[in-house]
């Protein structure tokens, strides 16, 4: 079994959205979270979807799920005080589905351009290696800085950006979260960092460059351009 765990807990402050979280802003007639969810809804190998959401926005999300017939969403749960706690809440909800150690694809609700090929590659990587971290190559020079001075310049060919989905077997990622809670490690930035901390090997899947995260007003214009490109490709068969 393969379950998508979608994190939609951000408040949208960087988007300057005046109260509405960015995942619920409308783009081309649909809320951003809907664009994201439909990619997993339409993938033949995704069996279920769990969404972690800001608690007061759960009724609104439930209405959207019904409106757009996203029937693979089986759980919507409230987030926590941190991203780490929110994902843990989502993992417990996945566990409540009583599947036998499913593959869990952890993904940002504001990454609407995850595509079918990437989802498939992530599932295959977990089944082969036990993990799948989506990465894209760094396209600019990476430097380390101390006291406003460049200390080192890293070989760019070895540098990648870690993105999402980040995918694991449920038992592994849930166990790592529970160890972190026991160790009072409460603000780890993402699932890859958490799994690396506890000694798990992390294998990568090359992601698509347009799998961007919509977090700022500038990202909206990038979304618009990418969306129009995709629409034109479908219309003209490109």
């Amino acid at each position: 079994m393969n379950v998508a765990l979608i994190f939609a807990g951000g408040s949208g402050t960087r988007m300057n959205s005046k109260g509405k979280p960015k995942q619920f802003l409308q783009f081309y007639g649909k809320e951003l979270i809907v664009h994201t969810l439909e990619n997993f809804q339409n993938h033949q190998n995704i069996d279920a979807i769990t969404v972690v959401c800001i608690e007061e926005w759960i009724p609104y999300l439930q209405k959207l799920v019904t409106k757009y017939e996203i029937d693979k969403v089986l759980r919507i749960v409230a987030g926590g005080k941190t991203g780490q706690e929110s994902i843990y809440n989502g993992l417990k909800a996945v566990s409540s589905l009583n599947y036998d150690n499913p593959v869990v694809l952890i993904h940002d609700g504001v990454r609407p351009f995850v595509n079918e090929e990437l989802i498939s590659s992530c599932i295959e990587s977990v089944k082969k290696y036990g993990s799948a971290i989506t990465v894209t190559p760094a396209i600019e020079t990476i430097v380390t800085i101390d006291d406003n001075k460049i200390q080192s310049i890293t070989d760019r060919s070895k540098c990648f950006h870690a993105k999402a989905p980040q995918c694991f077997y449920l038992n592994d990622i849930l166990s790592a979260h529970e160890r972190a809670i026991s160790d009072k490690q409460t603000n780890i930035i993402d699932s890859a960092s958490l799994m690396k901390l506890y000694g798990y090997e992390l294998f990568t899947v090359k992601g698509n460059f347009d799998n961007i995260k919509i977090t700022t007003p500038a990202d909206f214009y990038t979304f618009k351009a990418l969306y129009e490109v995709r629409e034109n490709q479908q219309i003209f068969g490109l």
Side-chain angles (χ1 to χ4, degrees):
M1 305 293 282
N2 306 302
V3 181
L5 171 52
I6 309 300
F7 173 66
S11 62
T13 54
R14 281 178 289 177
M15 186 63 81
N16 298 320
S17 53
K18 297 182 179 180
K20 180 174 284 191
K22 56 184 176 291
Q23 57 270 30
F24 296 114
L25 296 177
Q26 278 210 347
F27 297 86
Y28 292 94
K30 292 181 183 178
E31 288 73 9
L32 184 58
I33 184 65
V34 173
H35 287 283
T36 302
L37 289 172
E38 285 183 336
N39 290 303
F40 293 94
Q41 170 73 24
N42 295 331
H43 195 288
Q44 62 179 356
N45 293 326
I46 295 295
D47 300 292
I49 302 170
T50 291
V51 187
V52 181
C53 183
I54 302 170
E55 187 168 12
E56 56 266 34
W57 284 85
I58 289 177
Y60 184 71
L61 178 57
Q62 289 174 327
K63 290 179 181 178
L64 292 178
V65 166
T66 300
K67 176 182 178 180
Y68 292 102
E69 300 181 337
I70 307 175
D71 58 11
K72 289 184 181 180
V73 173
L74 303 184
R75 298 284 189 278
I76 301 176
V77 297
K81 295 179 181 178
T82 66
Q84 181 182 335
E85 184 180 348
S86 295
I87 295 301
Y88 179 61
N89 290 352
L91 291 169
K92 289 191 294 183
V94 174
S95 182
S96 75
L97 296 172
N98 293 319
Y99 296 151
D100 184 17
N101 197 24
V103 173
V104 180
L105 297 90
I106 302 170
H107 191 71
D108 301 305
V110 291
R111 285 190 191 272
F113 290 120
V114 58
N115 60 31
E116 180 180 1
E117 181 181 1
L118 178 55
I119 293 171
S120 295
S121 295
C122 284
I123 293 170
E124 291 170 8
S125 178
V126 175
K127 290 182 175 179
K128 186 173 183 180
Y129 301 113
S131 62
I133 307 300
T134 302
V135 298
T136 56
I139 58 175
E140 298 190 49
T141 301
I142 306 296
V143 301
T144 56
I145 298 175
D146 185 37
D147 194 24
N148 203 36
K149 293 183 293 185
I150 290 178
Q151 300 299 312
S152 65
I153 300 177
T154 306
D155 181 357
R156 189 171 68 192
S157 67
K158 296 180 180 179
C159 293
F160 293 80
H161 298 286
K163 298 194 174 184
Q166 298 185 358
C167 317
F168 315 92
Y169 281 113
L170 175 62
N171 290 351
D172 290 339
I173 184 65
L174 194 54
S175 174
H177 270 270
E178 290 169 348
R179 288 178 65 184
I181 292 170
S182 178
D183 294 343
K184 301 188 186 312
Q185 298 276 356
T186 59
N187 202 24
I188 299 172
I189 192 169
D190 66 356
S191 298
S193 301
L194 176 68
M195 296 296 275
K196 187 67 175 175
L197 175 66
Y198 288 108
Y200 288 88
E201 285 190 307
L202 302 180
F203 291 84
T204 61
V205 170
K206 295 290 178 64
N208 45 305
F209 275 102
D210 61 356
N211 182 26
I212 63 171
K213 189 175 182 181
I214 312 297
T215 56
T216 69
D219 296 329
F220 163 74
Y221 295 103
T222 303
F223 174 93
K224 182 177 179 181
L226 291 171
Y227 188 91
E228 289 178 353
V229 167
R230 285 196 169 194
E231 287 292 290
N232 289 337
Q233 286 175 334
Q234 292 179 7
I235 292 170
F236 297 111
L238 301 175

